[in-house]
């Protein structure tokens, strides 16, 4: 019988397209930004060179302005909507026109710290470092125009938590009229009851068409967007990546890049305090167009533990996770909230990548037991339900796509932590 690790490696190889990896066959046939950066961590356990390549391919498709797109459409595939014709970004290799959680800086450091082949690692990081730094600079220049220290996302898909309850209220300000008629593809690959509603989809597309109408000039999109949300999870990932990149830059003698990124991280950590909600025992999103916190205690506010938040905040987050009381952790929304939906995409289910980042942050903050519980729960889920895209936190039922790449990568990570 093959072990969990064998199956994980088999899945990573099966979804490998040579220089990039698809998240899963059918549902997601291209390269996704944060999927690739987290997938590289798994690949590194059995092929260091291939792991570096995964991230390099993504950065080969960085825009001249510095943005790294959320999808790179390496090969045509009719099975996905919205495809390259809808985005129409005019890139040499077609890409989408929005971004995704910038976890690359974190991944680079982790790959570098663990590298057996240190000469290889140094050469690869040296080349990637200025590109990741450019992406970080782009974020603070275009998505934090008032210098608050926190960046906004302008489309729910940027958060990576596409269908979260966090976006329901800010989404009310996004129109649905006037969009080009379209046919969804996601519901042909997955159960429609687990996917976003038609109305939400209309709004996703309205934003895409609006940005396309502005010629994908990323210096204009933030101010022109009716949707501007400061997501604590997204910012925590960016802050952690800035801090990690600063360490790498120091190591490689790039003092100026180190200083710049350390400054982003320090300012960001201080500003995170403005998102803290004492009654919820966690961070919340801020709707920037209104200036108010969004009353939705999603996992985005727990993922904040991924950056160096104060230790009492990390301890409170550990308690909040316990209070969910779900059989498997960490639910993407608390079951105590009436809007919780155990099976619908990002409105309740568990994702292993999120678990990994929360566990990593809590461990660093000294919440070792809380981190160990998340690791154990993640592996229990895999043993019971296989390598799915996401899971029902109550029953453990596997949901969404199967034989999923980043789930497999995280299993290799969790297994190596348990040793
Ligand atoms: C879904 C997820 C997103 C992920 C993508 C590919 O769209 O919401 O976070 O990157 O699938 O796995």
């Amino acid at each position: 019988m093959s072990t969990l690790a064998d199956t994980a490696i088999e899945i990573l190889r099966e979804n490998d397209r040579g220089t990039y990896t698809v998240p899963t066959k059918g549902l997601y046939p291209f390269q996704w930004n944060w999927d690739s950066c987290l997938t590289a961590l798994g690949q590194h356990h059995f092929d260091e060179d291939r792991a570096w390549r995964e991230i390099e391919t993504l950065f080969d498709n960085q825009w001249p302005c510095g943005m790294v797109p959320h999808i790179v459409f390496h090969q045509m595939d009719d099975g996905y909507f919205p495809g390259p014709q809808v985005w129409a970004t005019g890139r040499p290799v077609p890409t989408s026109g929005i971004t995704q959680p910038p976890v690359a800086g974190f991944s680079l450091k982790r790959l570098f710290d663990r590298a057996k082949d240190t000469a290889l690692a140094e050469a690869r990081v040296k080349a990637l470092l200025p590109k990741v730094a450019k992406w970080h600079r782009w974020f603070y220049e275009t998505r934090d125009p008032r210098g608050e220290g926190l960046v906004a996302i302008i489309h729910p898909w940027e958060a990576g938590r596409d269908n979260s309850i966090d976006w329901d209220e800010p989404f009310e300000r996004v129109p649905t009229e006037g969009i080009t008629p379209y046919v969804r593809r996601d519901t042909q690959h997955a159960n429609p009851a687990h996917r976003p509603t038609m109305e939400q989809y209309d709004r996703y597309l309205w934003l895409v068409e609006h940005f396309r109408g502005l010629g994908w000039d990323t210096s204009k999109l933030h101010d022109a967007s009716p949707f501007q949300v400061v997501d604590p999870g997204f910012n925590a990932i960016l802050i952690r990546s800035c801090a990690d990149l600063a360490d790498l830059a120091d190591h490689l003698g790039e003092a100026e890049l180190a200083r710049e990124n350390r400054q982003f991280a320090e300012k960001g950590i201080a500003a995170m305090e403005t998102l803290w909600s004492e009654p919820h025992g966690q961070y919340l999103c801020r709707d920037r167009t209104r200036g108010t916190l969004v009353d939705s205690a999603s996992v985005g506010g727990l993922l904040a533990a991924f950056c160096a938040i104060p230790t009492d905040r990390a301890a409170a987050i550990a308690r909040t996770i316990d209070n969910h009381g779900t059989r498997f952790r960490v639910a993407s929304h608390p079951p105590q909230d009436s809007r919780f939906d155990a099976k619908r995409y990002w409105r309740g289910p568990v994702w292993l990548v999120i678990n990994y980042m929360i566990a990593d942050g809590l461990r660093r903050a000294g919440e070792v037991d809380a981190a160990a519980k998340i690791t154990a729960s993640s592996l229990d889920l895999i043993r019971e339900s296989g390598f799915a895209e996401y899971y029902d936190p109550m029953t453990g039922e596997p949901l969404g796509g199967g034989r999923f790449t980043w789930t497999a990568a995280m299993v290799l990570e969790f297994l190596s932590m348990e040793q």
Side-chain angles (χ1 to χ4, degrees):
M1 216 181 77
S2 70
T3 63
L4 277 191
D6 291 338
T7 312
I9 294 173
E10 196 181 288
I11 292 172
L12 289 174
R13 292 214 160 111
E14 187 177 294
N15 292 333
D16 186 352
R17 296 291 171 271
T19 54
Y20 68 96
T21 312
V22 298
T24 186
K25 276 180 283 183
L27 185 61
Y28 303 118
F30 313 109
Q31 181 177 26
W32 264 258
N33 183 325
W34 73 326
D35 292 61
S36 270
C37 295
L38 293 163
T39 296
L41 301 177
Q43 291 170 328
H44 203 245
H45 290 281
F46 59 97
D47 188 343
E48 295 198 4
D49 178 65
R50 180 63 189 80
W52 292 110
R53 191 76 202 105
E54 185 74 23
I55 302 181
E56 286 162 356
T57 305
L58 180 67
F59 279 85
D60 285 347
N61 292 283
Q62 183 170 30
W63 286 21
C65 62
M67 186 187 77
V68 184
H70 102 291
I71 305 176
V72 184
F73 299 104
H74 292 282
Q75 281 181 350
M76 291 311 110
D77 190 309
D78 286 344
Y80 183 82
F81 180 86
Q85 300 81 354
V86 178
W87 292 96
T89 54
R91 296 285 307 149
V93 177
T95 72
S96 72
I98 56 173
T99 192
Q100 245 189 346
V103 72
F106 159 79
S107 294
L108 281 197
K109 174 150 196 305
R110 187 133 292 183
L111 295 187
F112 185 82
D113 288 347
R114 283 200 310 222
K116 292 198 188 75
D117 191 339
T118 43
L120 176 85
E122 237 177 75
R124 310 298 272 264
V125 168
K126 240 192 156 64
L128 280 164
L129 194 74
K131 299 181 184 182
V132 181
K134 188 169 181 188
W135 192 21
H136 292 174
R137 202 172 303 130
W138 172 85
F139 265 117
Y140 289 104
E141 275 170 15
T142 64
R143 299 303 184 82
D144 180 20
R146 291 193 295 267
E148 294 167 16
L150 298 173
V151 300
I153 54 162
I154 57 171
H155 193 296
W157 292 344
E158 290 198 316
R161 299 183 297 108
D162 300 20
N163 194 30
S164 168
I165 291 162
D166 291 351
W167 327 130
D168 290 1
E169 204 187 289
F171 232 18
E172 280 167 22
R173 281 183 284 295
V174 177
T176 53
E177 301 83 38
I179 50 171
T180 317
Y182 63 94
V183 180
R184 281 171 73 165
R185 297 297 163 120
D186 59 320
T187 42
Q188 294 167 358
H189 299 287
N191 184 342
H194 304 165
R195 302 288 304 178
T197 63
M198 206 62 205
E199 197 186 302
Q200 276 163 330
Y201 232 82
D202 284 354
R203 294 191 154 112
Y204 295 148
L205 281 216
W206 188 92
L207 286 171
V208 170
E209 292 191 6
H210 181 57
F211 301 147
R212 189 180 67 203
L214 293 164
W216 294 114
D217 177 347
T218 65
S219 69
K220 294 196 183 126
L221 304 187
H222 174 277
D223 289 358
S225 178
F227 181 91
Q228 301 170 359
V229 178
V230 179
D231 168 9
F234 190 99
N235 276 279
I237 290 173
L238 177 56
I239 291 166
R240 174 74 181 267
S241 282
C242 286
D244 285 354
L245 201 75
D247 286 352
L248 281 176
D250 267 339
H251 188 86
L252 297 173
E254 298 282 352
E256 181 44 34
L257 287 189
R259 194 199 50 80
E260 182 187 27
N261 277 276
R262 197 150 284 128
Q263 232 171 40
F264 288 147
E266 279 164 13
K267 191 168 172 189
I269 296 273
M272 283 288 284
E273 267 308 286
T274 63
L275 305 180
W276 180 257
S277 164
E278 200 55 42
H280 292 90
Q282 66 166 84
Y283 297 85
L284 298 178
C285 286
R286 185 189 304 119
D287 184 345
R288 188 175 267 170
T289 60
R290 288 263 161 112
T292 50
L293 292 182
V294 181
D295 184 15
S296 167
S298 79
V299 77
L302 307 172
L303 183 53
F306 193 47
C307 70
I309 52 170
T311 50
D312 58 327
R313 300 292 188 227
I317 284 178
R319 283 195 297 277
T320 302
I321 295 172
D322 277 340
N323 292 341
H324 280 180
T326 51
R327 182 160 162 244
F328 295 101
R329 39 184 87 197
V330 178
S332 45
H333 210 78
Q336 292 78 10
D337 186 326
S338 61
R339 298 166 293 183
F340 168 82
D341 187 338
K343 297 194 199 307
R344 207 184 275 272
Y345 207 46
W346 296 109
R347 300 173 88 88
V350 174
W351 262 259
L352 247 63
V353 282
I354 301 286
N355 282 5
Y356 175 75
M357 289 183 275
I358 296 178
D360 181 90
L362 288 178
R363 189 176 311 105
R364 286 202 329 161
E367 295 296 327
V368 181
D369 287 350
K373 279 191 215 155
I374 295 174
T375 303
S377 181
S378 302
L379 289 171
D380 285 349
L381 205 42
I382 302 296
R383 290 192 184 99
E384 194 168 309
S385 304
F387 292 73
E389 183 178 5
Y390 51 97
Y391 305 86
D392 180 325
M394 305 302 197
T395 64
E397 183 190 340
L399 300 164
R403 295 185 74 78
F404 217 85
T405 295
W406 67 5
T407 305
M410 293 301 101
V411 167
L412 293 175
E413 285 290 276
F414 281 127
L415 287 171
S416 75
M417 278 173 195
E418 271 207 327
Q419 278 156 16

